[in-house]
Amino acid sequence: MTGTLGKDLLGLEALTGEQIRLILDTAEPFKEISERAIKKVPALRGSTIVNLFFENSTRTRISFEFAEKRLSADTVNVSASGSSVSKGETLVDTARNLEAMRIDMVVIRHSASGAAKFLADRIQSNVINAGDGTHEHPTQGLLDILTLRDRFGDLKGRRICICGDILHSRVARSNIWGLTKLGAEVAVCGPRSLLPNAIDEFGVRIFDRVEEAIEWAEALNVLRLQFERMTAGYIPSAREYNRVFGITRERLDRAKRDILILHPGPMNRGVEIDSDVADGPHSVILDQVTNGVAIRMAVLYLLAGGKPELAEAAKGGSARGREDKD
Amino acid sequence: MKPICLRGGTLVDPSQRLNEVGDLLIVDGALAETGRAIQPPDDAEVIDCDGLIVSPGFIDVHCHLREPGREDVETIATGARAAAAGGFTSVCAMPNTDPVTDNQAAVGFIVRQAQRAQAARVYPIGAISVGQEGKVLAEFGEMVGAGAIAVSDDGKPVASAHLMRTALEYARTFKIPVIDHCEEPTLSAGGSMNEGIVSAQLGLKGIPAEAEEIMVIRDILLARLTGGHVHLAHMSTKGSVELIRWGKDRGINVTAEACPHHLSLTEERVRGYDTNAKMNPPLRTAKDVEALREAVKDGTIDLVATDHAPHHYDEKEREFADAPNGIVGLETALAVIVTNLVEKGYLSFSDLVDRMSCTPARLFKLPGGSLKRGAAADVTVFDPKARWRVDSSQFASKGRNSPYNGMTLVGRAACTIVAGSVVYRSGIAVPQREAREQINRATS
């Protein structure tokens, strides 16, 4: 089934600003469901969704699962270990087997860039990319943008800096695409060894020093520093990273204005971000997590063919059945 | 062997500055005569070549025929037939077989399999080091004695400058080129496409142009040091072209090849994660393609080679970063060059024949490369204007991994003659000598 977003959500690169706004707007009414005592609406009743996680994930997987369950979908979780994947099954065979079971949607997390598209090209089910290698993580980008919009309203002209390991970050790519499409001014800041060499061509501002980024930005999206970057020789140590690039209270105190702090998690406290910043008054890190469920509900609903203008009403009805009733 | 008279084609042979309509007569496996209105012997087969180009047979100095080891993806016989179907009369097989072609017995095996195939000639390239491990020199002398025409460690770049130096020195005794795949391995490690804006957007680890160029200049300097002949395989960057030009200007014994894909496609082709756009060196930028085309035109890049690399479709049907490098090229090379270099004004047909036949023959000291009287009767007849849609399922190669599948290209081999025997004719079933021999053996 194909809705206003097309068959799949593979990345924010392929979406228009209008489509992104549509997802954000659709997420708004879904936020309320999670605040109810009975957190369940029948929008996806009868739909079967497979969460196919080839890479470890706690937050994203749970967030998707809650989103699916709160929309009344039937879900199955498959992780790479313990499945036939660990017995050497190829991705294409996994895809064909899922297809043969007539599932409606697949949420895929995979360590290879392009894996979600690979799957989407080969099966008729809707595919949602929950992170493919170092390519994109569109629902994370969307929930970051929703969180920023909650605080800023229109993002046009707002200054947002993404800090840290841009080179290996799918979150960074989705944020850059999404934010620029909504008219925000985007910057990146990190050691040059963790920025793509072609970063100039992304149409973003580049700060070599985090102090400059803090002076410029209205919000910082602080990325997690993977520890394998040290062993691979990209940077010398976590300690020096914190001293040169860490988002610390001290650095933020010198800023002229309050700066909103985002982090996609999981955090390395004391490395890329200090605890008093993460837990401080300008941190919206837990709001991101809350918004993650609403965004994923919106994406699931829209891909299932749900009509955006009926999202409010869908809280009491079924997305997949709705077209017949109209 | 019946004489063959190729009647009325345009004879194009830059080795003797020939470019005119005429006939070509082949007798006893050798070129007997060129001229107008030749009177062929009564028993001669006359092939009408009106509107076609008759040239010395194409020679590919860089292909992978996978035998021994991966006969499921290509054999010497299927590879040699694919070559013939692409207009190649000779191909040189890289040593990355299993086991590695690093000794005289292994070289001899390839020579024997090639004879049985009776399609294009196949010349083995021996390994530089035992097991392509980059440690101990392989026995160049014995391999040359068994039929090897060059040495290379192929896709395993010679990381050690000392080993490369020694290879260039030692190869001088046998007057063979040392072919290097230029790639600085620590810089390219984990990369699966060109490093640049596309790799950054796709989230794929890139291989910078400098990974190639560092080794290009190293090899050129080592050729200067040793006086050996270094031949640089599949050049892919503008910087490499500039470095080769620098070396040639100084009289250093360096030659180089470029592949049809690097002369026609860019990194943009990787968008969508099509694994048939994955090869090593990777597809680069439009600027690189332009520089390579100019370099093939002005001779800085001496010749065109395919880097024909068949893979099983299962191996390519997977995540981009995990898919193997390489594409098949023997059956599309001519058309890709005609479409991208001749039709766009970089090369004349005479230049094309020079880069695909005369120069490879001269640099690698192989028979062919000329239509002169007495030369080996290795001849390619091709239709310079044929427009055709590439359908990889119809390839004679076992490989289907072509980025050109479905594209319409111009230029196609019509007839391929090796040592006076027709080994390929378009649209007509090739005499399957191998099959016939097998039947004969089975029934006798």
Side-chain angles (χ1 to χ4, degrees), chain B residues 12-37:
Chain B
V12 175
D13 178 11
S15 80
Q16 47 181 336
R17 295 176 186 278
L18 183 65
N19 193 342
E20 60 189 36
V21 173
D23 304 339
L24 177 68
L25 182 65
I26 298 165
V27 178
D28 291 335
L31 296 170
E33 198 180 343
T34 55
R36 280 191 170 274

Side-chain angles (χ1 to χ4, degrees), chain B residues 12 53 82 84 87 132 138 145 185 210 245 272 275-276 333 392 404:
Chain B
V12 175
I53 290 178
Q132 287 178 284
E210 285 73 7
R245 203 166 277 143
T275 58
N276 284 333
S392 61
Y404 302 104

Side-chain angles (χ1 to χ4, degrees), chain B residues 127-130 132-138 140 151-153 156-171 178 180 218-219 222 226:
Chain B
I128 290 173
S129 64
V130 174
Q132 287 178 284
E133 285 174 354
K135 291 175 189 146
V136 181
L137 276 189
F140 294 5
V151 288
S152 178
D153 268 356
K156 296 236 176 95
V158 182
S160 157
H162 169 72
L163 182 75
M164 191 64 190
R165 174 203 175 144
T166 317
L168 283 165
E169 289 171 334
Y170 191 65
V178 177
D180 197 24
R218 181 202 72 170
D219 287 350
L222 290 175
T226 61

Side-chain angles (χ1 to χ4, degrees), chain A residues 110 113 122 134-135 173 197, chain B residues 195 200-201 203 273 317 319:
Chain A
H110 198 288
S113 298
R122 283 160 183 79
T134 57
H135 175 225
R173 284 168 181 77
N197 206 22
Chain B
E195 180 174 322
Q201 288 177 346
Y273 302 94
E317 178 78 349
E319 300 89 321

Side-chain angles (χ1 to χ4, degrees), chain B residues 179-218:
Chain B
I179 306 171
D180 197 24
H181 166 123
C182 295
E183 178 182 347
E184 207 294 309
T186 63
L187 211 45
S188 65
S192 54
M193 68 170 296
N194 182 49
E195 180 174 322
I197 181 66
V198 181
S199 69
Q201 288 177 346
L202 292 179
L204 292 170
K205 185 156 194 287
I207 301 173
E210 285 73 7
E212 174 172 302
E213 292 155 6
I214 285 169
M215 294 308 236
V216 166
I217 194 62
R218 181 202 72 170

Side-chain angles (χ1 to χ4, degrees), chain A residues 172-204:
Chain A
R173 284 168 181 77
S174 290
N175 264 274
I176 292 171
W177 286 119
L179 288 167
T180 50
K181 281 168 198 261
L182 295 186
E185 283 187 52
V186 182
V188 296
C189 175
R192 286 282 176 162
S193 53
L194 291 176
L195 302 186
N197 206 22
I199 190 72
D200 308 353
E201 297 170 61
F202 271 79
V204 297

